[in-house]
Amino acid sequence: MKKLLLMAAASMLLAACGAKNSETTSAPEGGSPDTPASPPPAASTAVDPAKATQETAGGEESASDPSLARIIAMPDNVRLPTGKWKAGVHYQPVVPAQNTSAAPGQVEVLEFLWLGCNHCADLEPSIVAWEKQKPDYVKFVQEHVMWEPVHRSHARLLYTLQALNRGDLVPKAFEEIHRRNNILVSRNGNETETLSIQTAFAKANGVSEADFKREYAGFTVSARMKRGQEINIRYRVDTVPVIFINGKYKTDVSMAGGKQQLMQLITDLTAVEQSR
C-alpha cells in the first residue's frame, strides 16, 4: 500500500505540478488551491490553474471556517491595529494560539511547504529575498507537510539539509524537482533507492556522502520528523504554502493578495508582535 501511495503521488507530481510550471510563471497572484493527492475534479468544477496559489491535502477550506466566526471575539493580544490589513481577509487568527520555538524577544515566522509543490517553488525566491532582509528578532522556520509517503520522503530531505546547515540547498531542491523533473524520491517507493537519489543530489551540491547519510539516519533528523508530524497536526495544515506568525496568525499568498503583499504582511505582523 505504501508503494502504491508513493507511486501515485509521484506520478501526480510530474503530471500535475510539472504541467503547471509554465502557468505559474504568468499566473496572477491569488486564487484557490488545487489537489496534489487525489484525482482532478470534473471539468465543470475544476479550479482555474491560472489562479491557483496552493496545494491542498484534499478539499478546499470552507467559507464557514469556525475560526472566522471567532474573529470578533479575538483577544486584544491577537488583534492588529486597524489599517490596510483586515482580520478574516488578509489573515486569520490561530485558535487557540500555538506555542512557538522562538526565544524571548523573538518572533517566529513558520512556513509549511512541500518540496514537490510548484506553488511553494514559485514562492521560494520571495521567501529567500525576505529572509536576507528580515529583522534580527525574527526567527524563520521551514517545516514540511507529512500527508503521504512522498511528502515524508521529501521532509526527510529538507530536515537533513537543515541539520547540515545547508538551507541554501532548499532552492536547489525545488529547481531539481520542478525544472529538471527529478522528483528526488523513488518512483517505486523504495526507501533505499530514495536515499541513493537524495544522496546523489547532495553530493552534486557539495555535501559529502558520509555527512549526508550520517544526518539522514541520525537522531536530529529523526527527532525533526517526529516534531514535524506533531506540529502539522497542531496547526491543522491542509494547504501549502502557508505562513504562521508567532503561533497567532495564519496567512498565505491568496489571502494577502500576492507574493509581495504577503512579504509586507509578514513584516507588519512580526513588527506588531515584537512591539507587544
Side-chain angles (χ1 to χ4, degrees):
M1 176 61 71
K2 181 178 180 180
K3 288 185 177 181
L4 290 175
L5 285 171
L6 184 53
M7 289 174 67
S11 297
M12 285 195 169
L13 168 59
L14 288 179
C17 293
K20 290 172 190 161
N21 281 341
S22 60
E23 296 165 345
T24 303
T25 302
S26 59
E29 296 178 343
S32 304
D34 55 307
T35 307
S38 59
S44 60
T45 59
V47 174
D48 181 356
K51 295 182 180 179
T53 61
Q54 291 180 296
E55 300 283 356
T56 178
E60 298 185 24
E61 282 192 62
S62 170
S64 60
D65 186 337
S67 67
L68 297 182
R70 282 177 278 184
I71 285 174
I72 296 176
M74 286 171 62
D76 290 341
N77 68 340
V78 295
R79 282 186 181 274
L80 282 181
T82 56
K84 62 181 178 180
W85 307 119
K86 295 180 174 59
V89 177
H90 302 107
Y91 68 94
Q92 295 177 5
V94 176
V95 183
Q98 297 295 310
N99 293 328
T100 74
S101 62
Q106 288 185 322
V107 177
E108 182 188 79
V109 174
L110 171 62
E111 179 195 18
F112 284 93
L113 58 85
W114 170 31
L115 289 177
C117 165
N118 65 306
H119 308 300
C120 299
D122 188 50
L123 181 61
E124 183 67 10
S126 297
I127 290 288
V128 171
W130 167 83
E131 187 178 8
K132 289 178 180 178
Q133 301 177 18
K134 69 176 179 61
D136 291 340
Y137 63 77
V138 173
K139 178 180 182 180
F140 178 58
V141 180
Q142 285 184 316
E143 292 286 352
H144 204 284
V145 289
M146 300 284 193
W147 298 331
E148 301 289 351
V150 66
H151 304 105
R152 291 189 285 275
S153 293
H154 280 150
R156 187 170 287 276
L157 172 59
L158 175 69
Y159 296 145
T160 300
L161 295 177
Q162 291 176 346
L164 290 163
N165 293 316
R166 293 302 307 271
D168 60 299
L169 294 185
V170 174
K172 294 281 189 181
F174 277 123
E175 181 180 347
E176 188 74 13
I177 294 170
H178 298 283
R179 302 299 180 198
R180 299 179 182 175
N181 293 323
N182 175 9
I183 63 174
L184 293 177
V185 294
S186 168
R187 298 172 187 274
N188 299 316
N190 185 294
E191 294 181 357
T192 301
E193 185 178 343
T194 291
L195 172 58
S196 178
I197 292 168
Q198 294 183 358
T199 301
F201 163 77
K203 288 176 63 179
N205 287 280
V207 179
S208 75
E209 180 173 348
D211 286 346
F212 185 82
K213 288 185 174 180
R214 181 190 68 246
E215 295 298 337
Y216 188 92
F219 172 81
T220 298
V221 172
S222 295
R224 283 299 307 278
M225 291 288 289
K226 181 178 180 181
R227 180 178 182 276
Q229 182 68 48
E230 292 171 350
I231 201 170
N232 267 258
I233 294 171
R234 283 202 290 115
Y235 278 92
R236 294 175 289 181
V237 178
D238 57 6
T239 59
V240 289
V242 63
I243 305 288
F244 293 90
I245 294 90
N246 224 27
K248 296 179 181 179
Y249 313 106
K250 171 185 177 180
T251 188
D252 56 43
V253 175
S254 180
M255 279 192 281
K259 289 180 288 188
Q260 291 183 351
Q261 293 91 330
L262 175 62
M263 297 301 105
Q264 187 59 55
L265 174 57
I266 292 171
T267 299
D268 291 349
L269 285 165
T270 55
V272 169
E273 282 300 295
Q274 197 274 336
S275 67
R276 292 190 189 281

